[in-house]
Amino acid sequence: LILIVALITDYSVILLIRGGNLSGTKNYQDLVRAAFGFPGFVFLSIVQFVYPFIAMISYNIITGDTITKVMVRAARVEVDEETGQVTETNILANRYFIICLCTLLVTLPLSLYRNVAKLAKASLFACLLVVFIIIAVIVRSTDMHIPPTEDAYAFARPGFAQAVGIMAFAFVCHHNTFLIYGSLEEPTVHRWSIVTHISVVVSFIATVVFAACGYATFTGYTQGDVLENYCHEDDLINAARFCYG
C-alpha cells in the first residue's frame, strides 16, 4: 500500500508541473482554474485551507503527546507507574502550555516566511532529525523482545482503509508543488522529475523502515503514534520524541 501511494504521489506531482507548463500557469490555483473553471478554483481554495488547518491540529496533538513527555522526564515530574499519569502539578507537564509554547516559538516563526526556499536549512535539519528517530526505533527493535500478538501478521485487516488515509496524508505535498518548483535554481520539468523521484524514494524507505521496526517490536499493541508505546523513562526514545515534536 505504501508503494502504491508513493508511486501515485510521484506521478501526480510531476504531472502538476507538466500541466502548469502546458497551460502557462505558475501555481496550483491557476492550473485548476484553467482546467475546471471558477468552481474548481473555489473548491481547491477551500480544500487548501481545510487541509493545512487539520494538519496543524494534528501537529499540535503530536507535540502534546511527545514534547510533554520529554518535559516531564527532564523536569523529574512524578508519574504514576501504573497509569502513566502525572501525580504533581507542574506547568511543564501541562500539554496545553507545551502546545502553545511550541506553536509560538517554532511553528509560527517558520510560517512567516514568504519564500519557501527560506526553509531549506530548516528542512535539512528536520531530515537529520528524522534519521535519528528511525535509528532510535531500529535500536529499540533489536533490544526489546515483546511476544507477538495472535495473528500479528495477518494480511488486510479491517483497518487497512484508515492506513491508506494515513499513508496518503504522509505523502501529500501537492499544495506546495509549485512553490518548491519555483525555488529551484533552474526550474525545468527534467530537474523537477529528478528531485521528485529522489524525494519520494527516500520518503518511502524512511516510512517502511520506521513502520516495520515499530510494528515488529509491538505487533498488535502498536498505537497510532508508535512512540507512545515506549516507556516515558526511556531516554533514547525521549530524545526521539523531542526530535519528532
Side-chain angles (χ1 to χ4, degrees):
L1 290 178
I2 297 179
L3 178 60
I4 294 174
V5 172
L7 290 174
I8 293 174
T9 301
D10 183 85
Y11 174 77
S12 58
V13 166
I14 295 175
L15 186 63
L16 282 176
I17 297 301
R18 287 179 176 172
N21 287 343
L22 290 174
S23 61
T25 55
K26 296 184 178 181
N27 58 64
Y28 201 173
Q29 292 89 339
D30 288 344
L31 175 61
V32 172
R33 183 195 287 269
F36 301 101
F38 184 72
F41 171 80
V42 172
F43 177 76
L44 177 67
S45 298
I46 294 173
V47 171
Q48 284 198 310
F49 169 79
V50 173
Y51 171 74
F53 181 77
I54 295 175
M56 282 306 308
I57 294 175
S58 302
Y59 297 152
N60 285 337
I61 292 174
I62 291 172
T63 299
D65 289 341
T66 55
I67 301 299
T68 303
K69 288 182 174 60
V70 175
M71 293 296 101
V72 167
R73 176 62 172 168
R76 304 297 180 182
V77 179
E78 293 185 8
V79 178
D80 189 297
E81 295 295 335
E82 295 183 0
T83 64
Q85 299 296 318
V86 176
T87 57
E88 64 176 283
T89 302
N90 191 309
I91 193 171
L92 293 178
N94 188 313
R95 65 181 286 122
Y96 301 108
F97 171 77
I98 296 298
I99 290 173
C100 291
L101 190 66
C102 291
T103 300
L104 292 175
L105 297 183
V106 180
T107 307
L108 180 59
L110 291 176
S111 302
L112 295 178
Y113 286 114
R114 293 188 177 183
N115 187 350
V116 71
K118 298 290 186 179
L119 296 174
K121 294 181 180 179
S123 298
L124 176 61
F125 181 64
C127 290
L128 296 177
L129 296 182
V130 170
V131 171
F132 175 80
I133 295 170
I134 294 175
I135 292 175
V137 173
I138 293 175
V139 170
R140 284 294 174 261
S141 69
T142 60
D143 59 20
M144 293 182 67
H145 305 287
I146 301 174
T149 56
E150 185 178 358
D151 297 329
Y153 296 98
F155 180 74
R157 292 191 172 191
F160 82 96
Q162 298 176 2
V164 172
I166 295 174
M167 294 174 198
F169 182 83
F171 279 89
V172 164
C173 56
H174 302 70
H175 54 295
N176 289 324
T177 297
F178 285 91
L179 294 174
I180 299 173
Y181 175 73
S183 69
L184 297 178
E185 291 185 1
E186 297 178 14
T188 63
V189 175
H190 177 67
R191 287 174 62 86
W192 175 250
S193 298
I194 294 175
V195 171
T196 301
H197 293 328
I198 294 175
S199 300
V200 171
V201 168
V202 172
S203 298
F204 170 76
I205 293 174
T207 303
V208 169
V209 172
F210 183 82
C213 292
Y215 186 78
T217 304
F218 301 104
T219 58
Y221 302 113
T222 306
Q223 299 184 42
D225 180 357
V226 69
L227 297 182
E228 288 293 290
N229 282 94
Y230 298 96
C231 176
H232 66 274
E233 295 182 350
D234 189 329
D235 291 331
L236 176 62
I237 296 300
N238 277 331
R241 287 189 179 111
F242 181 80
C243 295
Y244 187 42

